[in-house]
């Protein structure tokens, strides 16, 4: 016959830090409501209740039933006292029970329980032996420490294992689950052995806890209570970190150092620092310095991150999604990634993206990180003048920090992030050391496997990092630095490309930023075109993004106020209301230019630009005046052009006396400093146009260097210049023959709308601009210019 276990129902008393074992006494503190209830029960002669330990996060106010463990102890309430505002009950554990069900009414819980007797698998003799062992351990502890005699004596008087367990367990800083496991262990023998293990493992800490508890009970006042709790917390933390209590180290640096995967010599340094830390007194001023240093050492990524195989197709797809157009640049990047894939061993790399602002250089860096599935870190080097920003401060300085590179690596947490160094051309050399030489060590593959940061002191290997530097102007980068990088030129966008970027990328981001749904705002294509054309003058798309944001801001006001239909439609006509009058543009083709005015093309870090070269002459003594913030090279170009013109034509022009005229050449937009040889062709043309009295087609723009012998030399920045000319409404462009190859870079849609004329000599130039065939120098004689060239001072008035 199967016996059905007897079920009984009792009030539950929660135990927070301990477990009550059968055959042991315990003093339990309870809250007022429960205290009243238990007292009432005792008065009625009902003195049985159930002790159940609770899990972490238990709230005595709520008494959530899911926070109770389901094995507990049936106990007898023996006496009640009231101390320091709390009800204290002395209880005696009778037997183990298993909880069948729990029921909560108000803030009181009752449990239906069945007996779950222990398995008494140990005879009296062995029991005694085990008790002696446990007492021995306690004795051992008391020999080592002063002030523990009282507690040792008390344990000496105890004659059952459960009694000692119940007494000591509250002082042992282990998880409640572990304590509860002891109670759930059926076998007496197993339970005793498990307890001995715990005791041995935690003996030092237990003793301290008990000492503190004793102090507390002797002088139970608030101050002590707090001090006790603090001390207890400290010891528990120490215990959890498994550090030795005599050290003041809370973090387990030894383990962290071991786990960080540092190279041998770095680990050595870290361990030395750790032993220094342990030697420090609690209040030593060096303690936080060493700790900060150790924190950095253990947080830096040292271990080689497992390389994911680079999936070039996937990378291509991601780059395409992330970035519109710029096919050639993406192709260069993909080639670079392919080499990395083939090379395998070192996965570091250094790219430099140079181009005007807002052309997506930084966001290409982010795209590469995404394509490679690596972490992305970005720092801006604009205006950095102190070497310490790159390389850190020595630790002897108060408040010293590692440099930005090491900080970036810490943030990345992986050894192979994509690290974008923005604006490398804007590093400033100053007396605080040269930041660019520090950067050289970062970017030089020969050196960057052991980059030295002053704070870090130990070498750090950066050779797995994929560096992407960005710059507006290559000329601002020191040559040795430039040498180490693979340079990719990023150019400005055509109006068509800007339209696509606005539609496919910028709009989406701007709407998101303003919390506007796609269904709430629509900007017509014509409005977008007008926005690009009339409200932005730039190579990139930064201003465009700003203007779109202004439109979105305006629209959100309308949407919120409910005064507009949905979607709110922005047309070309509404732009003026939203953004004001279109920006006045200086750099557009003029309808008509007088002789002496020519359109040149310039390259600036902001992109290409057209510029007007104006020349006038006046009675004088043959002087040449130049204005418009011209650099030395540009001034030389003007002198060369003048010399060339005179050498070729002066003696042929009988009506123009160079000795009796001064010439003044000006290039407006004077606030912009200009330099470079590429305006030579335009300056020569301006002089020729002025003196020969011929107007130059206002939709003709030109670029090229000119030599004193009349040769036209190639120049840089053709793509940017052509895009600027196209933006400004130019139709024909003269450029050096040797630059013809650069035309392949220009988008088809732009190329189709322009006529390109390539020239090799000054004769070609005169033919294409003035429209005459200049005789060869050797055949030119005084007064031999062709009949149709009437040089007249009247025409030269500007
Ligand atoms: P840069 O670093 O060249 O100054 P950014 O990377 O900061 O330019 O780009 C400015 C903004 O324009 C970013 O929001 C970027 O996402 C966007 N952008 C630029 N070019 C493109 C492009 N080709 N496709 C999509 N978005 C682009």
């Amino acid at each position: 016959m199967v016996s059905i276990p007897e079920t009984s129902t009792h009030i539950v008393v929660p135990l927070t830090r301990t477990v009550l074992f059968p055959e042991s006494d315990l003093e339990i503190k309870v809250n007022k409501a429960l205290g009243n209830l238990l007292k009432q029960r005792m008065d009625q002669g009902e003195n049985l209740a159930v002790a159940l330990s609770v899990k972490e996060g238990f709230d005595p106010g709520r008494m959530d039933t899911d926070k109770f463990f389901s094995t507990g102890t049936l106990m007898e309430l023996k006496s009640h006292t009231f101390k320091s505002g709390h009800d204290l009950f002395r209880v005696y554990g009778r037997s183990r029970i298993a909880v069948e069900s729990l029921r909560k009414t108000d803030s009181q819980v009752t449990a239906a329980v069945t007996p779950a007797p222990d398995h008494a698998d140990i005879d009296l003799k062995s029991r005694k032996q085990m008790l002696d062992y446990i007492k021995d351990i306690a004795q051992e502890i008391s020999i080592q420490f002063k002030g523990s005699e009282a507690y040792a004596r008390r344990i000496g008087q105890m004659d059952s294992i459960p009694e000692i367990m119940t007494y000591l367990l509250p002082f042992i800083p282990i998880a409640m689950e572990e304590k509860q496991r002891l109670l759930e262990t059926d076998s007496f023998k197993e339970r005793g052995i498990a307890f001995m293990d715990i005791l041995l493992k935690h003996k030092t800490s237990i003793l301290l806890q008990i000492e503190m508890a004793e102090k507390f009970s002797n002088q139970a006042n608030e101050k002590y209570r707090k001090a006790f709790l603090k001390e207890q917390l400290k010891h528990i933390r120490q215990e959890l970190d498994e550090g030795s209590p005599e050290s003041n180290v809370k973090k387990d640096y030894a383990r962290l150092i071991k786990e960080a995967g540092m190279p041998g010599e770095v680990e050595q340094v870290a361990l030395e620092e750790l032993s220094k830390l342990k030697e420090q007194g609690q209040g030593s001023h060096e303690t936080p310095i060493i700790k900060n240093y150790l924190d950095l050492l253990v947080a830096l990524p040292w271990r080689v991150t497992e390389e994911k195989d680079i999936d070039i197709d996937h990378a291509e797809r991601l780059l395409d999604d992330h970035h519109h157009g710029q096919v050639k640049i993406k192709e260069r990047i993909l080639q670079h990634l392919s080499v990395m894939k083939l090379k395998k061993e070192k996965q570091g790399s250094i790219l430099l993206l140079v181009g005007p602002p807002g052309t997506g250089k930084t966001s290409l860096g982010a795209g590469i990180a995404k394509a490679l599935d690596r972490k992305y870190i970005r720092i801006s080097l604009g205006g950095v003048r102190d070497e310490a920003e790159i390389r850190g401060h020595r630790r002897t300085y108060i408040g010293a920090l590692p440099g930005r590179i090491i900080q970036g690596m810490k943030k990345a947490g992986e050894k192979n992030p994509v690290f974008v160094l923005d604006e490398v051309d804007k590093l400033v050399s100053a007396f605080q050391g040269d930041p660019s030489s520090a950067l050289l060590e970062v970017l030089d593959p020969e050196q960057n496997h052991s980059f030295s940061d002053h704070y870090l002191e130990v070498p750090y290997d950066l050779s797995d990092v994929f560096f992407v530097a960005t710059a507006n102007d290559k000329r601002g980068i020191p040559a040795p630095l430039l040498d180490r990088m693979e340079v990719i030129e990023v150019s400005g966008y055509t109006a068509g490309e800007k339209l696509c970027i606005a539609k496919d990328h910028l709009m989406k981001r701007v709407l998101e930023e303003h919390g506007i749904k796609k269904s709430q705002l629509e900007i017509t294509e014509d409005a977008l075109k007008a926005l690009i054309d009339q409200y932005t003058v730039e190579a990139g798309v930064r201003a465009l993004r700003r203007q779109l944001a202004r439109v979105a801001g305006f629209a959100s006001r309308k949407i919120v106020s409910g005064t507009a239909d949905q979607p709110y439609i922005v047309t070309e006509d509404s732009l003026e209301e939203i953004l004001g009058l279109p920006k006045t543009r200086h750099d557009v083709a003029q309808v008509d230019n007088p002789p002496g005015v020519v359109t040149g093309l310039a390259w600036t870090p902001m992109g290409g630009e057209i510029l007007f070269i104006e020349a006038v002459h006046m009675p004088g003594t043959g002087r040449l005046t130049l204005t418009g913030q011209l650099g030395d090279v540009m001034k030389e170009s003007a002198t060369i052009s003048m010399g060339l013109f005179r050498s070729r034509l002066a003696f042929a022009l009988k009506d123009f006396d160079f000795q009796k005229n001064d010439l003044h050449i000006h290039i407006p937009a004077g606030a912009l400093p200009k330099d470079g040889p590429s305006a030579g062709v335009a300056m020569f043309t301006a002089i020729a146009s002025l003196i020969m009295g011929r107007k130059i087609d206002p939709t003709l723009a030109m670029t090229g260097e000119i030599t004193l012998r009349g040769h036209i030399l190639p120049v840089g920045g053709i793509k940017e210049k052509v895009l600027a000319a196209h933006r400004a409404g130019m139709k024909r462009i003269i450029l050096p023959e040797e630059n013809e190859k650069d035309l392949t870079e220009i988008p088809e849609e732009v190329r189709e709308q322009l006529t390109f004329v390539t020239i090799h000599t000054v004769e070609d130039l005169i033919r294409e601009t003035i429209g005459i065939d200049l005789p060869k120098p050797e055949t030119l004689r005084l007064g031999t210019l062709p009949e149709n060239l009437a040089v007249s001072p009247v025409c030269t008035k500007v």
Side-chain angles (χ1 to χ4, degrees):
M1 202 177 89
V2 181
S3 69
I4 300 165
E6 189 189 325
T7 306
S8 54
T9 304
H10 303 274
I11 302 233
V12 172
V13 178
L15 301 182
T16 44
R17 284 177 58 219
T18 190
V19 175
L20 173 65
F21 291 94
E23 299 175 35
S24 68
D25 278 296
L26 185 68
E27 194 171 58
I28 300 177
K29 187 165 75 183
V30 298
N31 66 25
K32 213 167 163 61
L34 186 57
N36 287 342
L37 185 71
L38 292 177
K39 266 188 292 175
Q40 216 177 346
R41 291 283 189 114
M42 278 175 83
D43 290 342
Q44 292 163 358
E46 171 57 88
N47 58 357
L48 285 183
V50 160
L52 281 185
S53 297
V54 291
K55 301 173 191 170
E56 234 183 84
F58 172 78
D59 179 353
R62 296 166 52 113
M63 298 282 264
D64 291 332
T65 50
D66 59 346
K67 290 285 182 201
F68 289 92
F69 288 107
S70 55
T71 302
T73 311
L74 184 67
M75 64 184 181
E76 201 181 318
L77 304 166
K78 294 176 80 174
S79 62
H80 165 258
T81 45
F82 192 76
K83 209 158 135 192
S84 318
H86 290 284
D87 285 304
L88 296 176
F89 291 88
R90 179 140 289 279
V91 302
Y92 176 74
R94 274 202 182 170
S95 58
R96 236 165 44 135
I97 48 89
V99 175
E100 291 279 67
S101 64
L102 285 173
R103 209 158 69 89
K104 191 174 129 186
T105 41
D106 296 327
S107 57
Q108 165 204 331
V109 174
T110 48
V113 301
T114 51
D118 296 315
H119 183 34
D121 55 349
I122 187 166
D123 56 27
L124 266 180
K125 199 170 150 224
S126 310
R127 216 177 213 221
K128 174 83 178 58
Q129 236 170 14
M130 192 178 267
L131 177 68
D132 288 342
Y133 269 132
I134 291 173
K135 283 185 172 178
D136 276 352
I137 299 169
Q139 224 56 44
E140 216 181 298
I141 297 168
S142 67
I143 291 166
Q144 289 174 35
F145 295 93
K146 294 191 297 199
S148 54
E149 299 83 357
Y151 117 90
R153 222 176 305 130
R154 186 151 171 204
I155 290 182
Q157 289 159 2
M158 293 180 178
D159 56 8
S160 89
I161 297 171
E163 208 180 342
I164 297 182
M165 288 188 352
T166 304
Y167 176 63
L168 283 183
L169 222 45
F171 303 113
I172 305 180
I174 53 172
M176 266 317 287
E177 274 77 3
E178 223 176 315
K179 296 181 184 181
Q180 174 72 15
R181 210 171 302 133
L182 286 174
L183 182 67
E184 282 168 8
T185 306
D186 294 344
S187 145
F188 258 176
K189 197 162 99 194
E190 303 269 6
R191 191 188 291 170
I193 291 170
F195 179 66
M196 274 201 295
D197 279 345
I198 293 176
L199 206 56
L200 280 169
K201 202 164 152 208
H202 295 275
K203 68 179 180 189
T204 333
S205 155
I206 298 160
L207 191 72
L208 281 173
Q209 305 266 333
I210 291 169
E211 263 183 62
M212 301 308 277
E214 226 119 60
K215 228 179 205 168
F216 171 47
S217 64
N218 290 340
Q219 307 179 26
N221 62 36
E222 198 59 18
K223 207 168 115 209
Y224 257 102
R225 208 176 91 83
K226 279 201 180 134
F228 167 63
L229 289 176
K230 267 193 200 153
E231 266 309 296
Q232 222 173 22
L233 193 69
K234 195 172 111 189
H235 290 302
I236 286 171
R237 281 202 184 133
Q238 270 171 359
E239 205 56 33
L240 289 177
D241 283 347
E242 292 172 20
S244 57
E246 67 269 40
S247 81
N248 56 15
V249 188
K250 285 184 186 144
K251 253 194 191 171
D252 186 3
Y253 284 114
R255 180 175 56 82
L256 292 172
I257 291 169
K258 208 184 284 166
E259 286 172 7
M262 302 170 186
E265 72 273 31
V266 178
E267 190 172 311
Q268 195 56 39
V269 171
L271 291 174
E272 278 164 20
E273 288 293 322
L274 181 60
S275 57
K276 243 196 257 170
L277 179 65
K278 285 182 177 167
E279 285 160 17
Q280 299 295 324
Q282 186 87 49
S284 164
H285 73 280
E286 280 221 39
T287 304
I289 298 176
I290 302 177
K291 277 189 177 175
N292 286 344
Y293 181 61
L294 281 175
D295 283 341
L296 175 67
L297 281 183
V298 298
L300 270 178
W302 296 99
R303 212 171 264 125
V304 180
T305 321
E306 205 182 307
E307 290 300 341
K308 299 162 195 129
D309 194 31
I310 303 173
D311 180 345
I312 299 290
D313 292 339
H314 176 68
E316 184 174 4
R317 268 196 308 279
L318 278 179
L319 276 181
D320 280 340
D321 284 352
H322 191 265
H323 214 77
H324 174 85
Q326 291 184 324
V327 181
K328 286 210 167 145
I329 292 158
K330 286 190 273 192
E331 186 51 40
R332 283 280 302 275
I333 291 171
L334 290 172
Q335 281 170 14
H336 194 87
L337 300 187
S338 308
V339 174
M340 278 171 63
K341 185 181 166 85
L342 291 174
K343 218 168 62 176
K344 284 211 162 79
E345 82 281 9
K346 275 288 169 197
Q347 298 287 302
S349 173
I350 300 147
L351 283 186
L352 170 66
L353 302 175
V354 195
T359 46
K361 299 179 297 299
T362 312
S363 64
L364 263 175
I368 294 173
K370 217 167 163 193
L372 288 178
D373 194 15
R374 294 195 188 181
K375 285 269 166 55
Y376 168 70
I377 296 291
R378 172 180 172 260
I379 59 171
S380 175
L381 298 174
V384 166
R385 51 175 58 239
D386 191 347
E387 188 186 346
E389 291 218 31
I390 310 275
R391 221 195 262 288
H393 290 281
R394 297 203 182 279
R395 274 202 289 146
T396 41
Y397 286 103
I398 293 182
L401 282 175
R404 296 226 216 153
I405 304 290
I406 291 298
Q407 285 181 32
M409 292 309 294
K410 180 179 164 195
K411 204 158 132 205
E414 277 178 17
K415 226 172 147 234
N416 63 352
V418 172
F419 204 133
V420 173
L421 304 166
D422 251 342
E423 305 190 314
V424 274
D425 53 337
K426 311 246 168 40
L427 279 176
V428 187
S429 283
F431 62 89
Q432 289 98 330
D434 185 1
S436 63
S437 70
L439 200 59
L440 187 64
E441 205 182 304
V442 175
L443 296 178
D444 185 354
E446 300 287 317
Q447 301 181 51
N448 75 2
H449 53 82
S450 59
F451 170 66
S452 68
D453 180 281
H454 288 152
Y455 181 90
L456 189 63
E457 286 176 0
V458 291
Y460 189 79
D461 181 5
L462 292 170
S463 59
D464 286 312
V465 180
F466 191 133
F467 285 105
V468 179
T470 79
N472 294 141
D473 188 356
K474 236 176 9 187
R475 291 173 305 182
I477 303 174
L481 204 56
L482 200 57
D483 237 29
R484 306 300 194 281
M485 304 189 264
E486 171 155 4
V487 181
I488 298 181
E489 310 253 359
V490 182
S491 51
Y493 298 113
T494 63
E497 285 172 328
K498 286 183 188 176
L499 183 66
C500 291
I501 295 174
K503 280 206 293 200
D504 298 344
H505 299 271
L506 301 182
M507 273 307 289
K508 216 184 311 166
R509 288 174 213 160
V510 167
L511 289 185
E512 240 171 58
E513 280 163 20
H514 287 77
I516 300 176
K517 288 193 205 85
K518 228 177 141 197
S519 58
Q520 292 175 310
L521 171 65
E522 187 186 322
I523 305 182
T524 64
E525 192 159 321
D526 283 343
L528 279 179
K529 280 184 186 160
L531 201 67
I532 291 164
D533 220 39
Q534 297 163 30
Y535 289 87
T536 62
V537 187
E538 59 171 351
V541 290
R542 267 212 194 139
L544 178 58
R545 188 177 170 153
R546 269 201 306 275
Q547 298 291 35
L548 284 173
R550 281 181 67 192
V551 173
F554 185 91
S556 36
R557 176 93 178 80
K558 294 272 179 199
I559 294 165
V560 171
S561 68
T563 52
D565 296 336
Q566 294 214 7
Y568 177 65
I569 299 175
V570 176
T571 62
E572 193 180 344
D573 294 335
S574 43
L575 285 184
E576 204 167 303
E577 186 196 350
I578 302 172
L579 302 173
L581 288 173
K583 287 195 173 189
T584 35
R585 297 183 50 178
H586 302 287
D587 58 343
V588 287
Q590 308 291 302
V591 182
D592 186 27
N593 282 335
V597 177
V598 170
T599 312
L601 293 173
W603 178 90
T604 76
M606 304 294 138
E609 258 182 25
I610 66 165
L611 43 86
F612 298 111
I613 296 170
E614 302 171 346
V616 291
H617 67 70
M618 61 214 84
T621 55
R623 273 188 315 159
L624 175 66
T625 310
L626 301 166
T627 50
Q629 281 224 47
L630 311 186
D632 287 344
V633 180
M634 212 151 180
K635 282 183 188 154
E636 280 175 6
S637 279
T639 318
I640 291 169
S641 299
M642 192 63 190
L644 177 64
F645 184 80
R646 286 182 68 174
S647 76
R648 289 293 169 98
L649 291 159
F651 52 95
L653 296 169
K654 54 180 188 285
D655 296 334
F656 191 86
D657 189 347
F658 283 92
Q659 302 305 323
K660 291 189 179 148
N661 283 289
D662 282 351
L663 212 66
H664 184 164
I665 299 178
H666 176 62
I667 303 181
L672 279 183
K674 313 166 191 77
D675 202 9
S678 75
V681 159
M683 286 210 241
F684 180 88
T685 310
I687 296 169
S689 151
L690 173 76
I691 296 176
M692 296 166 91
R694 289 301 177 97
K695 286 183 182 179
I696 304 295
D697 174 7
T699 61
L700 170 70
M702 59 194 77
T703 185
E705 181 177 351
I706 202 160
T707 71
L708 210 47
R709 286 188 301 151
H711 285 158
I712 310 295
L713 301 182
V715 291
I718 292 292
K719 186 176 177 194
E720 289 302 322
K721 288 174 176 173
V722 171
L723 292 181
H726 178 253
R727 268 202 301 275
M730 296 289 156
K731 297 276 181 277
R732 217 154 64 93
I733 292 170
I734 292 180
L735 65 155
E737 216 166 72
E738 285 179 55
N739 280 122
E740 194 170 355
K741 61 179 188 326
D742 298 321
L743 295 179
T744 52
E745 306 259 312
I746 292 158
E748 190 70 32
E749 55 180 293
V750 173
R751 236 181 319 161
E752 275 171 4
Q753 295 174 35
L754 295 170
T755 310
F756 295 97
V757 181
T758 55
I759 55 170
H760 186 52
T761 62
V762 70
E763 285 82 16
D764 299 341
L765 178 62
I766 291 281
R767 188 179 58 248
E768 295 300 334
T769 54
I770 311 281
I772 60 161
D773 277 324
L774 202 64
K776 290 275 177 238
E778 53 281 10
T779 61
L780 275 175
R781 296 284 175 270
L782 191 65
T784 56
L785 261 193
E787 282 299 301
N788 58 352
L789 259 189
V791 175
S792 146
V794 180
C795 302
T796 63
K797 278 193 185 147
V798 178

